[in-house]
């Protein structure tokens, strides 16, 4: 094998190796980007759930306090509570 043939084979091997490395890098970069997007979606869902939980806690605690207010004070104040939480 002559020197030019060896150089050409070396260059072909390097080009093949470079293309494989590029392909592997692209796969890793794509996979990383997908995981970032999934994490963003999960975080957004978590934030919505937390807001809903806080809202439901505010409603339920307000209703509970209004029903206690009805037990402690007169029935006029108890009228402020929603119908489902009034004491009978």
């Amino acid at each position: 094998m002559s020197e030019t043939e060896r150089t050409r084979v070396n260059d072909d091997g390097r080009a093949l190796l470079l293309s494989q490395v590029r392909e592997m890098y692209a796969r890793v970069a794509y996979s990383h980007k997908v995981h970032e997007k999934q994490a963003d979606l999960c975080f957004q869902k978590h934030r919505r759930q937390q807001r809903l939980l806080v809202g439901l806690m505010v409603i339920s605690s307000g209703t509970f306090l209004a029903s206690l207010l009805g037990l402690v004070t007169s029935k006029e104040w108890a009228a402020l509570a929603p119908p489902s939480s009034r004491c009978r």
Side-chain angles (χ1 to χ4, degrees), residues 57-69:
M57 282 180 18
V58 165
I59 291 170
S60 64
S61 63
T63 302
F64 175 72
L65 291 175
S67 67
L68 281 181
L69 186 67

Side-chain angles (χ1 to χ4, degrees), residues 42-77:
C42 287
F43 182 70
Q44 289 172 359
K45 182 178 178 181
H46 171 73
R47 295 292 291 191
R48 282 193 307 268
Q49 288 174 344
Q50 289 297 314
R51 288 182 183 136
L52 178 64
L53 180 64
V54 168
L56 292 174
M57 282 180 18
V58 165
I59 291 170
S60 64
S61 63
T63 302
F64 175 72
L65 291 175
S67 67
L68 281 181
L69 186 67
L71 290 175
V72 175
T73 61
S74 69
K75 296 296 177 186
E76 295 169 359
W77 285 99

Side-chain angles (χ1 to χ4, degrees), residues 21-54:
V21 168
R22 284 181 178 165
E23 181 182 349
M24 293 171 95
Y25 176 78
R27 287 181 184 187
V28 168
Y30 176 78
S31 160
H32 177 71
K33 189 65 171 178
V34 167
H35 285 123
E36 280 183 335
K37 291 293 183 181
Q38 287 177 336
D40 289 343
L41 292 174
C42 287
F43 182 70
Q44 289 172 359
K45 182 178 178 181
H46 171 73
R47 295 292 291 191
R48 282 193 307 268
Q49 288 174 344
Q50 289 297 314
R51 288 182 183 136
L52 178 64
L53 180 64
V54 168

